[in-house]
Amino acid sequence: MFHFPKELVLKAAALAVSWAQLCFAQAPKAAPALTADPEITAALQQVSPQRIQANIEKLVSFGTRSTLSAQDPAALASGRGIGAAREWITAEFGRYSKDCGGCLEVKTDSYTQEPAERVKEPTVITNVYAVLKGNDPQNAKRIVLVTGHYDSRNSDNYNVTDDAPGANDDASGTAVSLDCARVLSKLKFPATIIFLTVAGEEQGLYGSQHFAKMARDQGWDLEAVLNNDIVGGDQSAEQDHSVVRVFSEGLPTTATEPDIRRIRVLGGESDSGSRQVARYIADVGRTYDVGVKPMLVFRLDRYLRGGDHSAFNQQGFSAVRFTEFREDFHHQHQNVRMEDGIQYGDLLKFVDYDYVAHVARLNAAALASLAAAPAPPANVHLVTKNLENDSTLTWDASPGGLATEYEVLWRATTSPEWEHSQKVGNVTRTTMKLSKDNVIFAVQAVDRAGHRSLPVVPTPER
Ligand SMILES: [Zn+2]
């Protein structure tokens, strides 16, 4: 049960302060809602700019990683092309697994893409991933996932022999998945973390579409997907190395007509699952000092561009995209060349390895926070039977037994982030002295150590 402190109520009465002022002016805006976990803090120190640099250099050394490039035994032996890159990534995950006593299961998801847009010939597309299985039987089926695409391209989609270094796009994102795997595999979590690297992105998200569909068809309980694409912190004059953009869809791609009607009526257009993941990442950025601040962008992606997170959105999963603050288009999808004094090409010299490490820390902190947390509460409802100024919320206990209490969050309908929180105890029903007409609520599960689940926005229940 939520109560305003008595002094505040008396003060409000004395000053004739309105309830609205009391609700929205007294508490700090967007206060961090997470509790820093010392084990996670220590693990973040292990993320290494040197390791990330070595991994990006290795990926660039394959010359081209075009999905359409050779992957026959001769190409693998020559160390050039996507097949050789794939073999190296698989071996690298395997090394991390060896270092943690076989704690990672290294897998591939491979299929033949028939001719389609930007793919002329049947082409084998292989995603490589490592699974850090949760150590709690009741929570191991819950999954959080980080991904980047290891394929690259140059100016011509069908040029599969000239260099396509792809140092930033997207060796940087691949290096984030790899270093998160290396560092987090030293810890144990109740839920499962998957470290994914995909191919076929540059031809049309083929690899991630195949993977996301597999996850949907197999009924995976995939709580959050973090896609890192172009997180190299390109060293151009106007780059801001202190922030990383986090893109998230508003209206869910899979919203049905009834969903959209409800969203329209209730003002739910900024409360997709993906947006809750984005807000959670903002909380993570305030909780752990990772060296870079998430800058939430409330749109699916940049103009004219797409990315692997949308393949997961299309299967109904919550997914966001990390991208550096300012991109330099001379350094993306370009043949390496000098022209009018301008260097074109996605080259190593433009990558800021410290920046990639900061982004990797932010990802690792978000993955660890979610994998350590209880499952979100289920069936969260807002009771709307009666016309009343209080708001009653009900939910089913967080499945999996980790939650020891619950927290109600709320914000003004015009606010981008959660502004207030109130612990309500180990209950499945609470009444807030706030009008549901004026705020947006959510409920999150909290465990004994203070780990918090993703918040869940209630649906109305009459
Ligand atoms: Zn990319």
Side-chain angles (χ1 to χ4, degrees):
M1 185 74 162
F2 172 81
H3 292 293
F4 285 103
K6 200 173 152 201
E7 328 72 78
L8 217 56
V9 176
L10 292 173
K11 193 171 153 205
L15 299 174
V17 175
S18 72
W19 281 109
Q21 282 170 293
L22 200 60
C23 292
F24 300 124
Q26 301 285 342
K29 298 255 171 182
L34 302 179
T35 308
D37 175 329
E39 258 195 83
I40 296 174
T41 304
L44 299 181
Q45 304 302 316
Q46 303 305 311
V47 171
S48 159
Q50 292 76 29
R51 292 298 297 265
I52 284 170
Q53 175 169 0
N55 287 345
I56 294 176
E57 286 172 353
K58 184 67 191 180
L59 286 161
V60 169
S61 79
F62 297 108
T64 176
R65 304 188 307 279
S66 166
T67 298
L68 312 179
S69 63
Q71 41 183 313
D72 57 302
L76 298 198
S78 78
R80 195 172 172 88
I82 191 155
R86 176 193 72 213
E87 294 302 303
W88 174 77
I89 292 168
T90 309
E92 193 66 8
F93 278 135
R95 285 202 317 115
Y96 305 158
S97 185
K98 215 170 154 206
D99 286 349
C100 62
C103 75
L104 294 172
E105 193 184 350
V106 182
K107 303 179 87 164
T108 56
D109 159 43
S110 201
Y111 78 104
T112 300
Q113 175 62 49
E114 293 306 321
E117 204 183 345
R118 299 200 192 109
V119 179
K120 278 184 192 156
E121 309 284 333
T123 301
V124 174
I125 292 182
T126 303
N127 304 314
V128 184
Y129 61 111
V131 182
L132 179 63
K133 200 163 177 0
N135 67 353
D136 179 327
Q138 290 194 72
N139 284 275
K141 67 176 191 342
R142 297 170 45 222
I143 302 168
V144 291
L145 182 150
V146 61
T147 184
H149 69 87
Y150 70 92
D151 63 316
S152 68
R153 61 164 289 178
N154 56 31
S155 303
D156 176 1
N157 176 58
Y158 294 109
N159 176 341
V160 299
T161 49
D162 291 333
D163 280 352
N168 192 352
D169 185 11
D170 185 31
S172 66
T174 303
V176 167
S177 276
L178 285 169
D179 224 42
C180 284
R182 186 179 64 82
V183 165
L184 295 182
S185 58
K186 304 286 196 312
L187 304 182
K188 304 236 180 300
F189 300 96
T192 293
I193 306 179
I194 292 180
F195 310 92
L196 173 64
T197 67
V198 299
E201 196 272 352
E202 299 293 7
Q203 284 67 41
L205 317 181
Y206 289 115
S208 52
Q209 280 171 1
H210 190 264
F211 193 93
K213 189 170 182 308
M214 171 179 75
R216 170 55 62 209
D217 290 349
Q218 296 181 3
W220 290 16
D221 182 5
L222 186 49
E223 286 183 6
V225 173
L226 314 184
N227 172 34
N228 289 268
D229 196 352
I230 311 174
V231 292
D234 182 275
Q235 312 258 22
S236 58
E238 290 157 85
Q239 187 62 274
D240 184 344
H241 297 268
S242 72
V243 296
V244 61
R245 291 181 289 174
V246 181
F247 291 88
S248 58
E249 67 175 6
L251 212 52
T253 308
T254 51
T256 61
E257 274 305 318
D259 291 337
I260 292 170
R261 264 200 302 282
R262 180 169 47 81
I263 288 168
R264 183 184 294 123
V265 168
L266 300 174
E269 58 275 0
S270 193
D271 280 292
S272 65
S274 302
R275 202 139 288 171
Q276 306 313 341
V277 172
R279 290 187 180 105
Y280 192 94
I281 291 164
D283 280 347
V284 168
R286 284 185 287 268
T287 306
Y288 295 96
D289 182 14
V290 297
V292 68
K293 288 291 172 202
M295 171 186 147
L296 305 192
V297 183
F298 283 0
R299 53 169 52 115
L300 174 60
D301 210 325
R302 306 138 309 148
Y303 281 89
L304 304 172
R305 321 283 294 284
D308 290 315
H309 59 309
S310 68
F312 287 90
N313 288 153
Q314 279 159 14
Q315 298 297 334
F317 296 117
S318 302
V320 301
R321 175 194 184 124
F322 292 84
T323 299
E324 65 190 14
F325 176 73
R326 187 182 188 277
E327 295 168 80
D328 188 326
F329 304 109
H330 292 150
H331 303 158
Q332 294 177 12
H333 303 184
Q334 296 286 346
N335 287 344
V336 178
R337 66 193 190 280
M338 285 293 287
E339 208 172 278
D340 300 329
I342 297 170
Q343 175 72 65
Y344 288 83
D346 192 349
L347 298 169
L348 286 166
K349 66 178 178 183
F350 299 123
V351 175
D352 174 351
Y353 301 106
D354 287 325
Y355 180 83
V356 185
H358 294 153
V359 174
R361 284 193 191 100
L362 179 60
N363 274 266
L367 293 167
S369 298
L370 287 167
N379 297 316
V380 182
H381 295 302
L382 188 56
V383 178
T384 56
K385 268 198 282 279
N386 311 309
L387 284 172
E388 57 192 1
N389 285 309
D390 292 353
S391 304
T392 295
L393 293 146
T394 66
W395 57 91
D396 293 346
S398 158
L402 295 176
T404 52
E405 60 182 333
Y406 296 87
E407 194 158 62
V408 175
L409 307 175
W410 69 99
R411 66 179 207 270
T413 58
T414 50
S415 295
E417 289 192 51
W418 300 113
E419 296 172 311
H420 311 272
S421 64
Q422 176 70 40
K423 285 194 175 158
V424 296
N426 195 0
V427 296
T428 55
R429 178 186 185 92
T430 193
T431 298
M432 306 292 290
K433 290 277 170 202
L434 286 164
S435 169
K436 54 194 155 297
D437 299 329
N438 300 344
V439 300
I440 294 168
F441 285 112
V443 182
Q444 64 186 171
V446 185
D447 76 0
R448 195 163 277 110
H451 299 118
R452 283 157 167 84
S453 75
L454 282 168
V456 182
V457 172
T459 51
E461 181 184 72
R462 262 181 276 205

